[in-house]
């Protein structure tokens, strides 16, 4: 069987996650071709070679261009900072490689649109790293919605909160410069949007508020103005008319990886929190009235593809496992098979929604999201 | 000792709660005058007499005017539908009685302003039934904020959700008529505002969204348009500059009495949910990093006035107990002592905020809340 | 209507709880005779009169015998330390009064048996203060069991833990003397037994372990041996053959009023924790496999008699409310009506079980509980 | 660098888990030699070759003896049913291989003792698959105990419950035959013992109860007696004198992978539940009294080796990740470095404790556990 030959650019948090995913996707799923970790790119030769040895790559380069131009490589994982995505993805696609690029697409909407154009021109799979949608719990929520278990959905709330910028005493960082985007809005907001898209489709109207909890930060030269917004709240409408909101914060002490979803329908409700990613909660009115209550459902082998990892219920998948599932879905897309994933085609909708949110904030009024 | 002679109008949910509170406030607290349940008013003589016997009132009248004009009565509890509040409160205050009136003040802002004018003219205590602020857990949160335990607060979220209107098959009710107000915005919104006021002071700017999950409801003559909004979301700013939002829903399946508060500061966070009203959650950065986490703090005698009810920690107060505490605070106000309560003077701020929210929804833009 | 004339002995934690309950039982339930708080007994006249004024009693005595001999008194609440129960209950019953006596019956089994004999001879209602069984959540669990919702029960676990003796630095107290009983076994053990009795009937076999977490305590004269056991674990069998255990501790840091029940049947499971006394958790295999999970059911008006307190679901009863329900059940027993309560007839089974547990500990082997 | 050449016998639940662990241990940890998946053994050639292709093994055999005798193999993973452990482990050790054998050691204590003798004779690393002890949360609990954060521990409770045998209608299985052991006692009991051993050291005295929730099961030929016990409760003492118990059940509806630990000390308490394996709960009396409460601590990079998997807090490890950590610890043992693991030397203590438990059940009295 022809192997899948992988190129990887970047070896940070996401680079390692991609390496682990490529490494495990075949033993976990069994139904994919052999995977060859072929060519690793990093900022310099030394680091590239060291990480290649660790991750099990055959070749290593201090220049990412050698990875995308390697004739043996079939697919390139791009895990570098966002500002490099356009150039790398475009080059890889132009070289006839499939692309697995970390989210978001790019700092500017125009760059993202250009990436989409490259993907369309290439005809190759171009998938974004929206891993939260790969959780069997999320997949099961989608199934419950499709089956109408909670009836038509009329209201949705999503909060995404962490606290890595919550310390007011922490010094000014690059992240606090406007050149990197809006702050929480684009850094975090894309995740809730990926979940909304997966579960419900498009967001149609938005009205955004943003706030700076700490307007200035220390620098060696004195306080400096923080140019981005660590908190954002966005009221919105979905395609089906449902109302809802997204609230995101990077300064929410105590929240580490919270993505709390509340979905309300005519016959019940569903709750989920990423910090307890192996659970979902379901309330249905079909239960007898005196025993209605939110059920804490633990993920289990009957929530595929949990079964590919563990044959026993309640035993917990982890964050890195979601990346393995995402890799499997990428391979499906490479093979032109049905795939639960957010490609550039879908990802651009998320980017356009973020842009509309930002405009609504600037204008102080509701904005329609362009299709 | 001169007793407090109580008049009560209304014997529904809140009427009974007032009766129970007046009945228990002295045995619970010990430090108040004897309470005489003197005169009960209801819609007719039969009901008035029957309930007076149950609740332990000495006199009963089918005409509320006899209660407010009873020369022996010192204070009048008003627990009738909102549309009667203006007339009854004004009459009671004019007759020189203290007034304990259920929230909100009145369906229209102008009526509420008139009630405030009556209260000012009378010089009597005029207190509103915002019982959730009386929870020892809430009082302790206020203390933690005052002490700076979580640092300056920069973001607040409050959700208030129930499901009594969540069934789309339920028929059209009076509640669905616009004459009763906006729907969830005023019916529920006043509670989060009472909590915000108690914990943080005034709301200064608002931007409101509202939604109708079920635009029509059944009547015997066919479907009829629902004129109110069962869902509302309001982005806001507080006096101290903190951002936040309130989200309210009367159609949130599975939510029974949820009032979920999230407070984020520079040094920690506090969480609370009315459905588990005997708990609060506290996260502080002063804990060692490797053991930081939300502490589930159970209310206890060291959270006054829990100690007046039970001398053992973790044994749970109930909803009706909050009304007893509120009654104690009312008596304090009658006695011109410090009181944690929302009188007409403070309540009008809540009513004005609701009005501003409604206008922001109609105008589709942010509105400053008048002082 | 003839009133119920109440005598009360004791004004501590439980004395106040009885006073509050007698005071509220008629306004809450409506279907009982008027209650007259007639005669309060305390250790001296001053305290008696002061508390009588607070609680609303008409008469006060520094000698409890005057309460039990008061010809107007119909029923006597006994809330004094356990060692007085025998004398007071016997005197009250002999004087033709109904008795509401706090648990447990008496420090020694023989005394409890004598109390039972007095009750039988008197023909009066003699009820013990096992308030935890009065929770609408517990009543609903009983209903679910009766309906077979979780199938035949085969295993039960109950833990009851608090931490008021958890501090090893706290000095030696009277509680640490053997004269007061075994320690956690009898002090706490009776509560789980009251719940087991209410839900399942008799315990038939027991095997008990006890432990002293802190074998000595400080006194002004130096360390002194602790004579009681603050921790006990008892393996047991129920009448229906189910296995299970009770575990109790008075030194469990962080536990404030925990009574955690786990019930396992052939078709499902039920969980409950007194610290969240307004919730129960239910797992049933009749739910579709992929959505099975513990449902968190909030108590509501359809769980009687919650409805007598609050007409809205999820709004929380408190500890003192349970005492009001217990008072209502006592009145039912006084009126020879069906009553969910533990009278001396049933209470003696609990006392005999405790005695059997103690013997099993001493003997190091299983003991059959005498009927 | 010399690679570690791996042999693996078995490809079921645990076989796959071992394969995944061997496959990822180097990319995750970085500080171990290259791992070569060399030789896979299964029951027949076809299965062996198919799984070898999936898992990435170079060679495959339908006869496990060829794996253990393969001169290139350094270490053999044994994941077959318990009854094969003695023969396979002995052969592998005799052939000079390190051994990683799934728990428990063997159905009979004498067999386990023989395995220990083989290990001692070989001088090779011989490690058992007790993966739950590898959780960073458990490792952190151990650290907190060592630091004395909750003071000297005086009481410990562990429950381990699942529901895979909870259905009374399910037919008789091989598991129900006495030849396979006692049932829940040995099948589950070894896990809590591995945790007790890791956290506290040896169990010294035991008193065990066992129960059959469903005494008979269906077979095609009619009902048949169940010979094992699906429920066991064991009261115990630890080396340091602390009391406690273990409770295990395979028939606890709703429990999927519950291992609930409660640890009580003189200055605080720690809770943990395997179903929420990325959390621990800590209560300490050093917090101010009015804010004491159980902290929910989410695992994070500062709880090693979480950091080797994910650089962000609260993002969740999974069950399979524990196996990767276990593999890392095995390698440490192979390299004669400090290792948190349960080798045959320690595992025999667990097996002897199980045997003592069984005897205490048969004798109906406490039994000392031999060292």
């Amino acid at each position: 069987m022809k192997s899948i030959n992988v190129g990887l650019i970047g070896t940070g948090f996401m680079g390692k996650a991609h390496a682990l995913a490529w490494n495990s996707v075949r033993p976990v799923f069994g139904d994919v071709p052999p995977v060859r970790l072929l060519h690793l790119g990093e900022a310099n030769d030394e680091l590239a070679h060291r990480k290649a040895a660790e991750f099990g790559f055959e070749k290593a380069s201090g220049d990412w261009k050698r990875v995308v131009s390697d004739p043996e490589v079939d697919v390139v994982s791009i895990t570098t900072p966002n500002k490099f995505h356009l150039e790398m993805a475009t080059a890889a696609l132009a070289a006839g490689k499939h692309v697995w690029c970390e989210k978001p697409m790019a700092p500017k909407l125009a760059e993202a649109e250009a990436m989409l154009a490259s993907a369309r021109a290439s005809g190759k799979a171009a998938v974004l790293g929206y891993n939260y949608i790969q959780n069997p719990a999320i997949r099961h929520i989608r199934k419950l919605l499709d089956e109408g278990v909670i009836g038509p959905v009329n209201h949705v709330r999503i909060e995404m909160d962490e606290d890595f910028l919550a310390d007011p005493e922490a010094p000014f960082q690059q992240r606090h410069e406007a050149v990197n985007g809006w702050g929480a809005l684009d850094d975090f907001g894309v995740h809730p949007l990926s979940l909304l898209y997966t579960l419900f489709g498009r967001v149609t109207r938005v009205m955004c508020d943003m706030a700076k909890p700490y307007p200035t930060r220390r620098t060696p030269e004195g306080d400096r103005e923080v140019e981005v917004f660590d908190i954002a709240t966005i009221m919105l409408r979905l395609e089906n008319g449902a109302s809802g909101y997204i609230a995101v914060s990077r300064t929410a002490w105590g929240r580490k990886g919270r993505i709390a979803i509340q979905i309300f329908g005519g016959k019940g409700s569903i709750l989920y929190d990423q910090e307890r990613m192996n659970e979902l909660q379901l309330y249905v009115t079909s239960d007898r009235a005196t025993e209605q209550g939110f059920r804490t459902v633990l993920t289990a082998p009957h929530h595929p593809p949990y079964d590919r990892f563990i044959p026993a219920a309640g035993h917990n998948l982890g964050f890195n496992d979601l990346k393995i599932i995402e890799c499997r879905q990428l391979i499906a897309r490479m093979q032109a098979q049905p795939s639960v994933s957010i490609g550039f085609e879908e990802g651009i909708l998320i980017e356009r929604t973020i842009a509309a949110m930002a405009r609504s904030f600037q204008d102080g009024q509701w904005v329609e999201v362009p299709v």
Side-chain angles (χ1 to χ4, degrees), chain A residues 285-299:
Chain A
T285 58
S286 51
D287 289 336
R288 187 169 70 166
T290 47
E291 287 87 45
Q292 286 177 16
F294 279 100
R295 302 179 197 167
T296 302
V297 179
L298 303 183
T299 49

Side-chain angles (χ1 to χ4, degrees), chain A residues 209-284:
Chain A
D209 181 29
M210 296 199 237
K212 296 183 189 182
Y214 314 124
T216 62
R217 293 272 184 184
R218 285 186 302 105
T219 75
E221 297 81 33
D223 282 1
R224 177 169 165 188
E225 192 195 349
V226 171
E227 299 167 2
V228 300
F229 299 86
D230 287 328
I231 296 173
T233 306
I234 308 102
M235 307 191 294
L236 54 81
R237 288 291 182 285
L238 299 175
E239 257 182 294
N240 76 342
S243 66
Y245 64 79
I246 291 171
V248 293
S249 171
R250 307 190 295 191
T251 55
W253 274 123
R255 304 306 197 182
K256 305 302 179 185
R258 186 172 195 241
I259 306 178
I261 307 176
Q262 304 179 64
I263 304 169
F264 300 103
K267 292 160 55 184
S269 303
I270 296 172
L271 310 178
Y272 171 84
D273 183 353
Q274 180 68 25
E275 284 183 358
R276 289 179 170 167
M277 59 173 270
N278 288 279
E279 303 177 10
L280 65 91
Q281 296 204 73
L282 173 67
Y283 183 100
V284 285

Side-chain angles (χ1 to χ4, degrees), chain A residues 23-66:
Chain A
N23 195 38
S24 292
V25 66
R26 184 166 148 94
V28 166
F29 281 94
D31 60 354
V32 297
V35 171
R36 238 179 106 196
L37 302 187
L38 193 67
H39 203 148
L40 179 69
E42 249 299 349
N44 60 64
D45 272 351
E46 187 282 328
L47 182 59
H49 280 92
R50 181 155 51 81
K51 288 293 172 181
E54 263 180 50
F55 295 169
F57 277 78
E58 301 176 16
K59 298 188 249 179
S61 298
D63 177 356
W64 64 267
K65 289 181 182 163
R66 297 181 55 189

Side-chain angles (χ1 to χ4, degrees), chain A residues 347-358:
Chain A
I348 199 71
L349 300 175
I350 292 174
E351 311 277 337
R352 287 173 192 154
T353 308
I354 295 288
M357 289 169 170

Side-chain angles (χ1 to χ4, degrees), chain A residues 19 39 47 61 93 95 98 105-106 121 124 136 141 145 162 165 186 193 211 215 236 240 260 313 337 359 366:
Chain A
H39 203 148
L47 182 59
S61 298
L93 290 161
H98 301 289
M105 294 176 78
K124 290 290 168 179
I141 290 172
L145 295 175
E162 300 194 8
L165 294 177
D186 35 351
L193 285 173
L236 54 81
N240 76 342
Q337 289 165 356
R359 205 167 70 249
W366 287 81

